[in-house]
Amino acid sequence: LAGSGPGERRASGMAELRGVNFVSACGFSHRAPDDPIVSPRRPGASHDHSFVGNVTTGAFSTMKSLLSAATTCRRAEDTAAYWAPTLFAGGQPVEPARATIYYRRRTVAAVQAFPPGFKMIAGDAHARSPQGRRVTFWNCGVLGGVAPSSTAPACPAGRARSLRLHITFPNCWDGQNLDSPDHQSHVAYSMRGICPRTHPVPVPSISLILRYPSLGGAAIELASGGQYSAHADFFNAWRQDGLTKLVEECLNALRHCGRGS
């Protein structure tokens, strides 16, 4: 914008990003007390997790094993692995009915596709107080009429108003490391559309939304403890050409590309 300052140009650029996304709609795959990022090659070493996407994700998962497996996602090229702590209601596991995974662009600068084998964790499995809604929150869906909350709300009855857990991953990368010792230090969140100097490479912002056949309420607890400990893991095993194409033709072309076929 001629004559406008940096702040005005940034605000204009951010406005253009509204609705710029593509979606991977994925079914529930399986549960297991495994975590191939935090506890690789140690089956049973983790709290219970619910896995969506790749159907083989487990303690021994590798890039090669994931790429050769099937997926529960509507986009066949999305063989990535996604997982979060299992939800319990009254001591009984509640498997997510499905997951909606948004890939958004939240930076003024163009984004890069995650490199093959990239790993990261969003959220804090040890949190015992609210983490902040930029990272995670609960609600009852857009038709639920319930504001986002740090605790699981009691949702009104109705199929479209069931409990949802939202976890959003960092969207800035240090440009060097596919992982880090704490699985978080190599990534960061952008601020007002700009990545920090320590993590200068913009990547897609992943929001994982788990939809449960539950009305929520006080009896809900995550396998990692309480309702505040929401977190999720991402292991990039997309068929890389498919991911790169979506990033370029959707996110960097400022388009909404929907859920795929």
Side-chain angles (χ1 to χ4, degrees):
L1 296 175
S4 61
E8 291 173 286
R9 289 194 294 271
R10 186 181 305 170
S12 176
M14 291 303 292
E16 286 186 325
L17 300 181
R18 291 173 189 160
V20 173
N21 64 66
F22 62 88
V23 180
S24 203
C26 307
F28 169 73
S29 176
H30 60 284
R31 290 174 41 230
D34 290 357
D35 191 321
I37 291 180
V38 175
S39 303
R41 306 186 68 81
R42 294 171 56 203
S46 173
H47 53 254
D48 202 69
H49 283 111
S50 293
F51 296 86
V52 299
N54 198 289
V55 301
T56 64
T57 313
F60 294 98
S61 289
T62 63
M63 184 70 185
K64 182 178 179 180
S65 71
L66 293 171
L67 277 173
S68 64
T71 181
T72 66
C73 299
R74 187 180 298 179
R75 294 184 183 276
E77 64 269 40
D78 186 2
T79 48
Y82 311 87
W83 63 98
T86 296
L87 185 74
F88 286 83
Q92 297 300 310
V94 180
E95 297 170 351
R98 62 189 184 280
T100 303
I101 305 164
Y102 284 89
Y103 281 69
R104 294 183 171 98
R105 177 172 157 186
R106 296 188 187 273
T107 52
V108 175
V111 297
Q112 292 187 18
F114 299 106
F118 184 89
K119 303 172 186 176
M120 65 175 166
I121 295 177
D124 182 0
H126 304 290
R128 295 299 179 262
S129 60
Q131 298 188 57
R133 293 177 193 167
R134 178 176 69 170
V135 177
T136 184
F137 63 88
W138 304 84
N139 72 3
C140 302
V142 294
L143 300 178
V146 176
S149 172
S150 58
T151 55
C155 297
R159 188 176 65 178
R161 299 175 175 86
S162 61
L163 184 66
R164 269 81 154 168
L165 176 60
H166 300 241
I167 305 118
T168 298
F169 288 83
N171 64 317
C172 299
W173 175 41
D174 66 11
Q176 299 180 4
N177 299 292
L178 298 182
D179 197 3
S180 52
D182 64 0
H183 317 294
Q184 295 183 312
S185 295
H186 61 306
V187 289
Y189 291 91
S190 63
M191 294 294 291
R192 300 182 182 88
I194 303 296
C195 284
R197 292 181 181 179
T198 53
H199 299 77
V201 181
V203 291
S205 173
I206 298 176
S207 292
L208 172 64
I209 305 173
L210 296 166
R211 302 173 178 229
Y212 298 98
S214 168
L215 296 180
I220 292 296
E221 184 175 15
L222 293 167
S224 43
Q227 296 186 359
Y228 296 127
S229 64
H231 61 284
D233 299 54
F234 169 65
F235 189 146
N236 179 32
W238 275 79
R239 293 167 189 165
Q240 194 66 23
D241 287 349
L243 175 60
T244 299
K245 182 178 180 180
L246 286 165
V247 167
E248 292 303 323
E249 296 184 359
C250 302
L251 304 188
N252 288 337
L254 302 180
R255 296 176 54 222
H256 166 63
C257 295
R259 298 170 181 263
S261 58

